[in-house]
Amino acid sequence: MDSRRRSFLAAAGSVAAGAVAGCPGFLDSDTGQNGNNTTGTAVEGASIQIPETVESTYPQYQYDAANTGTVPDVSGPTGAITSLFEFGQSGFVPGHRMGSPSLRDGRLYLTEGRIDGDGTRETFVYALDAVDGTRQWATMYRGTNGAGPTAVTGGNVLATVGDTLVGLDADTGTERWTFDRPVRSGVTVDDDTVYAVGTGDGGPNLYALSAADGALSWGAPVDADAEPVTPAAAGDTVYAGGNSLQAFDATTGETVWSADHGVTTPATVAGDRVVVGSGTAVRAFDRDDGTELWSSEVETYGNQESPAVTDPPAVTDDTIYAVADRGLTALSLTGGQHRYTVEMGIEGTPVIADGFIYLFGVGQLSCRAADDGSTEWTYGTRQRNSARGAAPVIGDNVAFFPAERLYAIAG
């Protein structure tokens, strides 16, 4: 371990809720938006519903290990919207970042990175009450302001802090373990195993770790350059890649198959298929042997110089929802036929719940009907741009999404 990483990890500390004056994450009752809001009674019969508790679970980025982005048995906010709380910096600050949260047992877990006025870089991992935003604990790391998505499994919270993967006690925030290879992707949790792509051992490698103690089970080379995608796991196979799509045996790490197509999004596993973004196309492969089943170009609108599908698509039993060039394309899972395309004006990672699509980008959370892509409502924030891959978390009548701060809404 190099000296920078030693000093970085040695500076980690845990602080109890409310114990640190001037801590960069804080509860603020200011709920002003940027004028983009179109919330109201967008869904017939909708009314504001303020939860007393949040029982929903959203354990990791894109909800599950298969990266489907589809939340079962949950109805998100329906259109008559109110703010529950906001948490974090009160305005845009250079170097400030909020990671995509996870949700379990009435608590949100998230990361926040910042650069102080004296140039000190810090990242905090937080547990918040999901109803009122009260901080339950905060663990601080110095030497980085990187803030990646979190995942929660059993009694452990997993977070990427800079390029370090850490495991924390979900009740107290006490650090339980750190992984000693630099991590370059998001993390995926399947039962008690964590998968991530790192750059140790001579190049990009897919690693399988114990969620309980961080013990390494295996590592395998990944065909990727600077930005390997977040893995997906389903059954006895893990999918990763970059320059190509690869399937690995989940027990041994041996390569099962490889498909020679560049991958620009994490893989999504749906039934017997694996779906990826590949430039301006969406491709579907046979899950067992990697045979390409179809490829379909998404609609582009001339909004970007080099448009591509870079946010992971959301996939239901029969439809793929892919975002590129500030547009949404819905495709048939079986054959790739276009169901519809709409220009949205925003990029974002789509999440599906109860027939609605939720995605955050360019300062607003947008809710759209999954059957035709029409806008149901939008909820504006102060932020005019969005971190790549920022994704909302959807629970019953609630949504949480990272912008310049974390926003929590209900309806």
Side-chain angles (χ1 to χ4, degrees), residues 24-374:
F26 56 90
L27 180 63
D28 192 321
S29 61
D30 181 4
T31 58
Q33 293 90 40
N34 66 9
N36 291 337
N37 295 342
T38 61
T39 60
T41 55
V43 178
E44 184 176 356
S47 60
I48 294 176
Q49 303 178 60
I50 305 296
E52 294 183 1
T53 60
V54 175
E55 303 295 338
S56 305
T57 295
Y58 200 108
Q60 60 191 306
Y61 185 71
Q62 285 300 89
Y63 181 74
D64 52 23
N67 290 333
T68 63
T70 296
V71 190
D73 305 319
V74 160
S75 296
T78 53
I81 305 301
T82 188
S83 173
L84 287 178
F85 63 86
E86 299 174 14
F87 183 90
Q89 295 280 103
S90 59
F92 176 76
V93 177
H96 180 260
R97 299 181 173 93
M98 299 293 289
S100 296
S102 54
L103 172 67
R104 172 168 284 180
D105 297 330
R107 282 185 172 184
L108 287 163
Y109 302 95
L110 72 153
T111 57
E112 179 187 42
R114 64 170 291 174
I115 303 175
D116 285 343
D118 62 0
T120 300
R121 296 173 182 266
E122 297 174 332
T123 295
F124 283 72
V125 186
Y126 297 112
L128 309 179
D129 184 280
V131 174
D132 62 16
T134 303
R135 192 176 64 204
Q136 307 300 299
W137 52 255
T139 300
M140 180 181 67
Y141 294 84
R142 289 197 175 97
T144 179
N145 64 323
T150 62
V152 56
T153 178
N156 297 285
V157 177
L158 310 172
T160 47
V161 179
D163 62 1
T164 299
L165 175 60
V166 299
L168 308 174
D169 185 286
D171 291 329
T172 66
T174 302
E175 184 183 281
R176 288 180 167 173
W177 56 265
T178 64
F179 184 49
D180 62 0
R181 278 83 157 178
V183 170
R184 296 298 301 274
S185 74
V187 298
T188 298
V189 180
D190 190 22
D191 293 329
D192 58 356
T193 302
V194 184
Y195 301 99
V197 178
T199 55
D201 303 305
N205 279 269
L206 173 65
Y207 295 108
L209 317 172
S210 165
D213 60 13
L216 178 64
S217 297
W218 52 261
V222 174
D223 182 17
D225 293 324
E227 295 190 36
V229 298
T230 298
D236 56 2
T237 309
V238 186
Y239 305 88
N243 297 326
S244 63
L245 176 63
Q246 297 167 273
F248 300 87
D249 184 282
T251 302
T252 65
E254 294 180 359
T255 300
V256 178
W257 55 258
S258 178
D260 190 20
H261 293 282
V263 175
T264 53
T265 71
T268 299
V269 185
D272 60 356
R273 299 172 185 234
V274 181
V275 176
V276 296
S278 179
T280 56
V282 174
R283 300 180 186 274
F285 299 87
D286 184 281
R287 175 176 163 178
D288 293 329
D289 61 15
T291 301
E292 185 177 13
L293 302 175
W294 55 259
S295 174
S296 182
E297 292 286 321
V298 300
E299 190 72 29
T300 58
Y301 297 91
N303 292 314
Q304 297 173 330
E305 183 176 344
S306 300
V309 183
T310 56
D311 293 297
V315 183
T316 64
D317 290 339
D318 59 3
T319 305
I320 301 165
Y321 301 89
V323 175
D325 198 29
R326 300 181 181 175
L328 172 68
T329 301
L331 305 165
S332 165
L333 177 61
T334 55
Q337 299 88 353
H338 282 213
R339 300 195 188 278
Y340 64 80
T341 63
V342 293
E343 187 174 10
M344 302 184 296
I346 63 174
E347 296 281 302
T349 300
V351 173
I352 310 294
D354 196 29
F356 294 97
I357 306 167
Y358 300 86
L359 69 164
F360 173 74
V362 197
Q364 61 179 272
L365 179 69
S366 177
C367 175
R368 293 176 174 267
D371 57 0
D372 62 7
S374 59

